[in-house]
Amino acid sequence: MTWATERLEAISSGQGALPPIVEQLRLGRLDTWGEGWVRKTWTPHPSLDTADGSLFGGYVAALADQVLAFAAMTVVPDDRLYRTTQLQVSFLRIGRNAPLEIHAQVIAATRQMITVRASFTQAGDRLIAEASAQQILLPMPSADSAAPAG
C-alpha cells in the first residue's frame, strides 16, 4: 500500500480522521474504492437545504473535487503528491436535496498527470452532473516539510 491508499482505507473504514475542511463542509467519507475508482453516497444535511429544495451547485463542485481527488489517490505513486490543476463540473439536470450516488474513475495516468472523471446520479439512474479533473503529480516533500494532504 502507498500513503494514499492507506489514507483511502482509513477514510472508507471510518477509522481515519477527516480534515477540518471536510468536516466543516459536511462532505462525508468514501464508501468503497479499488484501483482506479471510488464510490460514495452523499446525503445533504438539512442545514444545506435551498429555498426551492434544489442542490446548491457549489456543493456539487466541492464534492466533485473531493471524489476526483480520492480517485486519483488510488493510483498516486508512493513517492508523489498530487494537486488539482483543472476542475470542470457540468450540470445536466436540477438536483434535489436527496441522496447522491457519486462514482469517479481514473481515465488516464502518466508520470506527471492523472485525469479523472465522475458522475452524480439521483433516484438510481438520473444523471444530474458530471465532473472531470486533472491532478498534477509532484515529488514528496522532504521529511522536514509539511506532511501529505488528503
Side-chain angles (χ1 to χ4, degrees):
M1 291 188 97
T2 67
W3 71 264
T5 57
E6 284 179 9
R7 181 79 177 120
L8 288 172
E9 193 58 35
I11 291 169
S12 64
S13 72
Q15 301 303 310
L18 295 172
I21 188 68
V22 172
E23 293 284 355
Q24 181 71 28
L25 293 177
R26 301 176 189 254
L27 298 178
R29 294 184 176 274
L30 180 63
D31 294 339
T32 188
W33 66 277
E35 185 175 341
W37 62 271
V38 297
R39 290 190 185 114
K40 75 179 276 179
T41 300
W42 180 77
T43 302
H45 188 273
S47 67
L48 303 177
D49 284 349
T50 59
D52 68 354
S54 63
L55 283 173
F56 175 58
Y59 259 90
V60 174
L63 286 164
D65 195 28
Q66 180 198 42
V67 76
L68 292 166
F70 284 159
M73 287 171 70
T74 70
V75 298
V76 169
D78 204 32
D79 64 341
R80 297 281 186 243
L81 296 177
Y82 65 93
R83 293 292 179 259
T84 303
T85 60
Q86 179 271 338
L87 173 66
Q88 181 176 339
V89 180
S90 297
F91 298 96
L92 308 171
R93 290 187 174 99
I94 295 173
R96 295 292 166 202
N97 280 358
L100 276 175
E101 294 294 325
I102 309 169
H103 303 260
Q105 64 183 17
V106 174
I107 302 303
T110 68
R111 292 183 311 125
Q112 298 176 342
M113 189 79 62
I114 299 171
T115 302
V116 286
R117 185 179 299 154
S119 62
F120 297 76
T121 58
Q122 286 186 315
D125 63 351
R126 187 172 178 264
L127 184 64
I128 65 158
E130 295 178 315
S132 61
Q134 288 187 322
Q135 309 282 351
I136 190 168
L137 294 172
L138 303 167
M140 185 69 75
S142 62
D144 49 292
S145 297

